[in-house]
Amino acid sequence: AALLALAIPAVGMDTGTPNTEASLPQNEPIVQTYNTLKEAFPAETQSLEVVVKAKDVTASNVRHGIDAFERAAEKQPALFPGHSIDTDVSPDGTVNRVSIEIAGSGTDAKSNEALDALRKDIVPATIGSVDGVQALVAGPTAEDRDFNDTMKSDLPFVIGFVLLAAVLRSEEH
C-alpha cells in the first residue's frame, strides 16, 4: 500500500520539455526581459516533420500527395500559420522530410491540437493515402507526447513489477 501511495504522483507527472511560460514565474524581471526579446526577435518557429518513406519520393504520385498535404494544412491557418513547407529529400530518394510550422510554443494545447490534426486527419487523408507510402509525424511536440503516453501506459507494469519484487524479497527474509 505504501508503494502504491508513493507511485500516485507519477500518474500526473509531466515529463515534457520545459518552457518559460510553464516553468518560470512570469513576474520575474529576467523572464519579462526574455519574453520581450523573444517577441521582438523570434529565433525560430515551432514545427513538426512528416517523414515520408517510399521507393521513390520524387515520383509524381508522392509529390501530388505532398501537394495535397500542403493544401489541407493551408485550410487550417489557426494551427498551421506558416505558408511555407520545407522538404528535404534523402540522397537515395527514398525519404522526404516535410517540415511544417505549427501554432503555439511546441508544448501547449495549440501545438498538441496541430499534432492531432496532422496524425488523425491531414496526413492519413493526403500523403498517407498514397499507395506504397509510409508517412509518420515527428518533431519535439510529437516526441514529448509519445514519451508521456508510453510512460503512462507502462506505469501499471512498472508498479506491478516493483510490488512483485518487494513481495518476493520480503518472503526471502
Side-chain angles (χ1 to χ4, degrees), residues 1-149:
L3 286 174
L4 285 174
L6 289 172
I8 289 173
V11 174
M13 182 172 50
D14 180 15
T15 57
T17 305
N19 62 44
T20 58
E21 292 85 16
S23 59
L24 296 174
Q26 296 301 300
N27 61 346
E28 290 292 324
I30 189 72
V31 175
Q32 292 173 349
T33 302
Y34 172 77
N35 288 338
T36 302
L37 282 171
K38 191 170 77 170
E39 285 178 26
F41 302 101
E44 67 180 64
T45 59
Q46 296 300 319
S47 65
L48 287 170
E49 287 79 37
V50 179
V51 180
V52 179
K53 185 172 174 51
K55 286 183 179 179
D56 180 9
V57 294
T58 62
S60 64
N61 63 334
V62 179
R63 286 196 324 266
H64 290 304
I66 292 172
D67 291 343
F69 166 80
E70 188 170 1
R71 286 190 305 274
E74 286 175 352
K75 291 179 182 175
Q76 297 188 43
L79 297 179
F80 309 104
H83 295 288
S84 66
I85 292 181
D86 296 323
T87 62
D88 186 21
V89 177
S90 66
D92 67 356
T94 61
V95 177
N96 188 347
R97 182 180 49 85
V98 181
S99 292
I100 182 169
E101 181 183 343
I102 61 171
S105 66
T107 58
D108 61 358
K110 202 63 153 171
S111 299
N112 281 295
E113 189 179 344
L115 174 62
D116 288 336
L118 286 179
R119 283 186 169 171
K120 294 177 182 175
D121 300 321
I122 297 173
V123 170
T126 58
I127 189 64
S129 67
V130 176
D131 287 336
V133 171
Q134 182 181 18
L136 303 168
V137 181
T141 304
E143 290 169 11
D144 286 347
R145 164 85 69 76
D146 294 345
F147 180 77
N148 283 329
D149 289 350

